[in-house]
Amino acid sequence: MKAIFSLGCLILGLLAAPAYADGPDGVLGMWMTADGKARIEITKQGDVYGGSIVWLKEPLYPTDDEQGMGGRPKVDRHNPDKSLQGQPIIGLKLVQGFKYAGDNVWNDGTIYDPESGKTYSCKMTLMMDGSLRVRGYVGISLFGRTEIWTRPPPDAASAQPSNQP
């Protein structure tokens, strides 16, 4: 019975293997945040990885926006640099400065939280199931928060990165 179970696990592991893109460029491409509100495209320049917001589920402020921006495209209004508070959220660099450390880990990067205007140290790990574990932290990784990003569904390709609804 153990042999059959072991064989079954081996077969399932082999079937799942193609979904696991290991190596330095395994992180490239489109990712959906854990809450499904944004899509991030991770790209590479030289040996440094970074990603920008390319799609928002709700790209416009609600009509009852407290700051009177109802119906307008969302901007980085919480940025501590006042000169950057008018830049659109779509196109905003969210993660940057990552280096591949081996074993499907990218570190030495940062992640920006446009809802608070804060930037955190960050580490990303590509998991066996193809998801991306994104850990933002202050100081050491022990003090932080983890989100699991996933690849958007195939039909998401039709979602255009746009400031328009």
Side-chain angles (χ1 to χ4, degrees), residues 124-137:
M124 301 186 300
T125 306
L126 188 60
M127 307 304 288
M128 290 293 292
D129 66 359
S131 64
L132 188 63
R133 183 178 181 263
V134 180
R135 177 129 183 108
Y137 57 93

Side-chain angles (χ1 to χ4, degrees), residues 79-101:
N79 195 308
D81 182 341
K82 291 196 182 294
S83 69
L84 299 177
Q85 290 179 353
Q87 68 184 347
I89 294 291
I90 293 179
L92 186 70
K93 275 280 202 195
L94 190 74
V95 292
Q96 56 188 341
F98 288 88
K99 298 270 185 150
Y100 184 65

Side-chain angles (χ1 to χ4, degrees), residues 21-45:
D22 62 345
D25 293 343
V27 74
L28 294 177
M30 200 70 65
W31 294 94
M32 187 169 21
T33 58
D35 58 13
K37 291 182 179 180
R39 292 196 183 114
I40 315 305
E41 184 175 19
I42 296 181
T43 59
K44 177 181 176 182
Q45 290 186 340

Side-chain angles (χ1 to χ4, degrees), residues 7-58:
L7 180 61
C9 287
L10 177 65
I11 290 171
L12 285 175
L14 291 173
L15 291 174
Y20 180 62
D22 62 345
D25 293 343
V27 74
L28 294 177
M30 200 70 65
W31 294 94
M32 187 169 21
T33 58
D35 58 13
K37 291 182 179 180
R39 292 196 183 114
I40 315 305
E41 184 175 19
I42 296 181
T43 59
K44 177 181 176 182
Q45 290 186 340
D47 63 346
V48 178
Y49 297 81
S52 300
I53 298 172
V54 295
W55 176 89
L56 291 172
K57 184 176 183 179
E58 297 174 359

